[in-house]
Coordinates of all heavy atoms in Angstrom, one line a residue:
A1 N 0.9 8.0 8.1 CA 1.9 7.4 7.2 C 3.1 6.9 7.9 O 3.5 7.3 8.9 CB 2.3 8.5 6.1
L2 N 3.7 5.9 7.2 CA 5.0 5.3 7.7 C 6.1 6.4 7.5 O 6.1 7.1 6.5 CB 5.3 4.1 6.9 CG 4.5 2.9 7.2 CD1 4.8 1.7 6.2 CD2 4.6 2.4 8.6
D3 N 7.0 6.4 8.4 CA 8.2 7.3 8.2 C 9.2 6.7 7.2 O 9.2 5.5 7.0 CB 8.9 7.5 9.6 CG 8.0 8.3 10.5 OD1 7.0 8.9 10.1 OD2 8.3 8.3 11.7
R4 N 10.0 7.5 6.7 CA 11.0 7.0 5.7 C 12.4 7.1 6.3 O 12.7 8.0 7.1 CB 11.0 7.9 4.5 CG 9.7 7.9 3.8 CD 9.7 8.8 2.6 NE 10.0 7.9 1.5 CZ 10.2 8.3 0.3 NH1 10.2 9.6 0.0 NH2 10.5 7.5 -0.7
H5 N 13.2 6.1 6.0 CA 14.6 6.1 6.4 C 15.4 7.1 5.7 O 15.3 7.2 4.4 CB 15.2 4.7 6.2 CG 16.7 4.6 6.5 ND1 17.2 4.6 7.7 CD2 17.7 4.6 5.6 CE1 18.5 4.6 7.7 NE2 18.8 4.6 6.4
V6 N 16.2 7.9 6.4 CA 17.0 8.9 5.8 C 18.4 8.7 6.3 O 18.7 8.8 7.5 CB 16.6 10.4 6.2 CG1 17.5 11.4 5.6 CG2 15.1 10.6 5.8
S7 N 19.3 8.3 5.5 CA 20.7 7.8 5.9 C 21.5 8.9 6.6 O 22.4 8.6 7.3 CB 21.4 7.2 4.7 OG 21.6 8.2 3.7
T8 N 21.1 10.2 6.3 CA 21.9 11.3 6.9 C 21.3 11.7 8.3 O 21.8 12.6 8.9 CB 21.9 12.5 6.0 OG1 20.6 12.9 5.7 CG2 22.7 12.2 4.7
R9 N 20.2 11.1 8.7 CA 19.6 11.4 10.0 C 19.8 10.2 10.9 O 19.3 9.1 10.7 CB 18.1 11.7 9.8 CG 17.9 12.9 8.9 CD 16.9 13.7 9.6 NE 16.9 15.1 9.1 CZ 15.9 15.9 9.0 NH1 14.8 15.4 9.4 NH2 16.0 17.1 8.5
W10 N 20.5 10.5 12.0 CA 20.8 9.4 13.0 C 19.6 8.7 13.6 O 19.6 7.6 13.9 CB 21.7 9.9 14.0 CG 21.1 10.9 15.0 CD1 21.1 12.2 14.8 CD2 20.4 10.6 16.2 NE1 20.4 12.8 15.8 CE2 19.9 11.9 16.7 CE3 20.0 9.5 16.8 CZ2 19.2 12.0 17.8 CZ3 19.3 9.6 18.0 CH2 18.9 10.8 18.5
N11 N 18.5 9.5 13.7 CA 17.3 8.9 14.4 C 16.2 8.4 13.5 O 15.2 8.0 13.9 CB 16.7 9.9 15.4 CG 16.2 11.2 14.7 OD1 16.6 11.4 13.5 ND2 15.4 12.0 15.3
S12 N 16.5 8.3 12.2 CA 15.4 7.9 11.3 C 15.1 6.4 11.4 O 14.0 6.0 11.1 CB 15.8 8.3 9.8 OG 16.8 7.5 9.3
D13 N 16.1 5.6 11.8 CA 15.8 4.2 12.1 C 14.8 4.0 13.2 O 13.9 3.2 13.0 CB 17.1 3.4 12.4 CG 18.0 3.3 11.2 OD1 17.6 3.1 10.1 OD2 19.3 3.3 11.5
L14 N 15.0 4.8 14.2 CA 14.0 4.7 15.3 C 12.6 5.2 14.8 O 11.6 4.6 15.1 CB 14.4 5.6 16.5 CG 13.5 5.7 17.7 CD1 13.1 4.3 18.2 CD2 14.0 6.5 18.8
S15 N 12.6 6.3 14.1 CA 11.3 6.8 13.5 C 10.6 5.8 12.7 O 9.4 5.6 12.8 CB 11.5 8.1 12.7 OG 12.0 9.1 13.5
C16 N 11.4 5.1 11.8 CA 10.8 4.0 10.9 C 10.3 2.9 11.8 O 9.2 2.4 11.5 CB 11.8 3.5 10.0 SG 12.3 4.7 8.7
L17 N 11.0 2.5 12.8 CA 10.6 1.4 13.6 C 9.4 1.7 14.4 O 8.5 1.0 14.5 CB 11.8 1.0 14.5 CG 11.7 -0.3 15.3 CD1 11.3 -1.5 14.4 CD2 12.9 -0.5 16.1
D18 N 9.4 3.0 15.0 CA 8.2 3.4 15.7 C 7.0 3.4 14.8 O 5.9 2.9 15.3 CB 8.4 4.9 16.2 CG 9.3 5.0 17.4 OD1 9.6 4.0 18.1 OD2 9.8 6.1 17.6
A19 N 7.1 3.8 13.6 CA 5.9 3.9 12.7 C 5.5 2.5 12.4 O 4.2 2.2 12.3 CB 6.3 4.6 11.4
H20 N 6.4 1.5 12.1 CA 6.0 0.2 11.8 C 5.3 -0.5 13.0 O 4.3 -1.2 12.8 CB 7.2 -0.6 11.3 CG 7.4 -0.5 9.8 ND1 8.0 0.6 9.3 CD2 7.1 -1.3 8.8 CE1 8.0 0.5 8.0 NE2 7.5 -0.7 7.7
V21 N 5.8 -0.3 14.2 CA 5.1 -0.9 15.3 C 3.8 -0.2 15.6 O 2.8 -0.9 15.8 CB 6.1 -0.8 16.6 CG1 5.3 -1.2 17.8 CG2 7.3 -1.6 16.4
Y22 N 3.7 1.1 15.4 CA 2.4 1.8 15.5 C 1.4 1.3 14.5 O 0.2 1.1 14.9 CB 2.7 3.3 15.3 CG 1.5 4.2 15.4 CD1 1.0 4.6 16.6 CD2 0.9 4.6 14.2 CE1 -0.1 5.5 16.7 CE2 -0.3 5.5 14.3 CZ -0.7 5.9 15.5 OH -1.8 6.7 15.6
F23 N 1.8 1.1 13.3 CA 0.9 0.6 12.2 C 0.9 -0.9 12.0 O 0.5 -1.4 11.0 CB 1.3 1.3 10.9 CG 0.9 2.7 10.8 CD1 1.9 3.7 10.6 CD2 -0.4 3.1 10.8 CE1 1.5 5.1 10.5 CE2 -0.8 4.5 10.7 CZ 0.2 5.4 10.5
R24 N 1.3 -1.6 13.0 CA 1.4 -3.1 12.9 C 0.2 -3.7 12.3 O 0.4 -4.5 11.3 CB 1.7 -3.7 14.3 CG 1.9 -5.2 14.1 CD 2.2 -5.9 15.4 NE 2.3 -7.3 15.3 CZ 2.6 -8.2 16.2 NH1 3.1 -7.7 17.4 NH2 2.6 -9.5 16.0
P25 N -1.0 -3.4 12.7 CA -2.2 -4.1 12.1 C -2.3 -3.9 10.6 O -2.6 -4.8 9.8 CB -3.4 -3.5 12.8 CG -2.9 -3.0 14.1 CD -1.4 -2.5 13.8
V26 N -2.0 -2.7 10.2 CA -2.1 -2.3 8.8 C -0.9 -2.9 8.0 O -1.1 -3.5 6.9 CB -2.1 -0.8 8.6 CG1 -2.1 -0.4 7.1 CG2 -3.3 -0.2 9.3
V27 N 0.3 -2.9 8.6 CA 1.5 -3.5 7.9 C 1.3 -5.0 7.8 O 1.6 -5.5 6.7 CB 2.8 -3.2 8.7 CG1 3.9 -4.0 8.2 CG2 3.1 -1.7 8.7
E28 N 0.7 -5.6 8.8 CA 0.4 -7.1 8.6 C -0.6 -7.4 7.6 O -0.5 -8.3 6.8 CB -0.1 -7.6 10.0 CG 1.1 -7.7 11.0 CD 0.7 -8.3 12.3 OE1 -0.5 -8.0 12.8 OE2 1.5 -9.1 12.9

């Protein structure tokens, strides 16, 4: 599954970006 952005977690942007790049074929 894709990760979710959590505004109170400093690293959630990286987690979301990692997940989108990982799932690029599916996201596309």
Side-chain angles (χ1 to χ4, degrees):
L2 292 172
D3 293 346
R4 300 181 93 185
H5 173 73
V6 180
S7 59
T8 57
R9 296 228 163 147
W10 66 270
N11 62 344
S12 70
D13 288 326
L14 177 56
S15 296
C16 289
L17 191 53
D18 285 343
H20 273 76
V21 171
Y22 178 82
F23 285 117
R24 180 178 176 174
V26 177
V27 170
E28 287 182 321

